[in-house]
Amino acid sequence: MMEEFKRTRRLRENAMIRGLVRETRMSPDSLIWPVFVREGSGIYEEIPSLPGQFHYSPDKLAYAGEAALKAGVKSLLLFGIPEKKDACGSGAYAENGVVQEGLRALKSRFPELYLITDVCMCEYTDHGHCGILSGEHLDNDRTLDYLARICLSHAEAGCDMVAPSDMMDGRIAAIRQALNANGYTYLPILSYAVKYASAFYGPFRDAAGSAPSFGDRRGYQMDMHNAREALVEAAADTAEGADLLMVKPALAYLDIIQRVSERFDLPVAAYSVSGEYAMIKAAAAAGLIDEYRVMCESAVSVYRAGARMLITYYAKELAEAMRRGDIG
């Protein structure tokens, strides 16, 4: 008698057994919601390029804090948009800068929130590049001192974690040294270790006003053709003192998330960037896809690839989907 074939469908028969044998587990605790803080007052305005996302002035950030906690999201990633910009991005490290004021506003009202700050200069420089220029060349080593200064100002304002996104060589070591020397040995660094030069950043650059005024960022962000280089970048940041590693963007780089998560023992985060979010929103608005299901499926793919944290504009909606048991 011929042996019975393997009946793998037994473990897919109903929702209970599917939940019981699920390989990829997700939690709202692993979600991080990016929030845009704009200098000024009374600002609570939807961002046209990112439907459902808003610009908040520091005095209106309570709206974001309340929405996050109501949804079960406990971690925010803050991006600052200053009123004035200059060649050295001085608003990024000003004591009363927009992120610094935002941190104080949120910490005083919502001490239970975990606040991560993006550390870069592109939103603050009048040329839109991520550091200090020498002519039209970005000066890597001069930029390190400024990045360390920004991190210190964020630490002094009460952040829980800093996340440098500039892709300068040596930045993690410079930041770690500065933090340690000033008593912030406990403050973790989430390194944008593997950040590709990507067309998926378009809506963010519109929302943050951070497009470069000349050239592009391919000289310091990674080439999309390279995978082994991602491991070199992650290894360097690990050796310099990073506590967590990030891969950005997410969906077009799932293979990179997998490689980094398998090679390194540090927790790996992935950033589902503005273009990914905007594409889903646009396709849903055109009636082409089921937004909810595509949102869920996309998020699961990132965790399945090996990410332990997901930075996403869908953080609140994904937390609800996890509570409902549709993912998680």
Side-chain angles (χ1 to χ4, degrees), residues 95-157:
E95 183 180 355
N96 60 345
V98 61
V99 166
Q100 292 80 350
E101 290 299 309
L103 285 166
R104 296 184 187 102
L106 284 171
K107 276 298 178 185
S108 64
R109 180 80 179 270
F110 306 103
E112 65 270 43
L113 281 175
Y114 194 83
L115 302 180
I116 307 165
T117 56
D118 177 82
V119 177
C120 194
M121 300 179 70
C122 60
E123 298 104 315
Y124 299 89
T125 54
D126 53 15
H127 47 74
H129 281 281
C130 299
I132 304 300
L133 295 182
S134 178
E136 291 193 355
H137 175 73
L138 196 152
D139 191 324
N140 185 102
D141 294 3
R142 282 184 62 203
T143 299
L144 300 184
D145 290 337
Y146 286 85
L147 296 171
R149 190 172 177 181
I150 296 167
C151 286
L152 278 176
S153 73
H154 290 180
E156 290 165 356

Side-chain angles (χ1 to χ4, degrees), residues 175-214:
I175 291 168
R176 185 76 272 164
Q177 182 179 7
L179 291 174
N180 289 354
N182 287 273
Y184 296 104
T185 56
Y186 61 85
L187 197 73
I189 300 173
L190 166 59
S191 172
Y192 285 69
V194 183
K195 182 178 179 180
Y196 285 87
S198 174
F200 283 96
Y201 303 148
F204 174 92
R205 290 178 180 172
D206 176 69
S210 62
S213 60
F214 66 90

Side-chain angles (χ1 to χ4, degrees), residues 4 35 37 49 92 97 125 140 157 190 193 216 222 224 229 252 268 275 278 280 289 293 309 326:
E4 183 177 309
V35 171
V37 191
S49 59
T125 54
N140 185 102
L190 166 59
D216 55 41
M222 285 182 54
M224 64 181 176
E229 184 186 7
V268 174
I280 295 174
I289 61 171
R293 292 186 62 190
M309 292 154 285
D326 294 332

Side-chain angles (χ1 to χ4, degrees), residues 22 25 106 140 155 158 175 205 226 232 238 257 314 321:
R22 201 169 265 174
R25 300 288 180 178
L106 284 171
N140 185 102
I175 291 168
R205 290 178 180 172
N226 296 351
V232 174
T238 299
I257 296 170
Y314 276 121

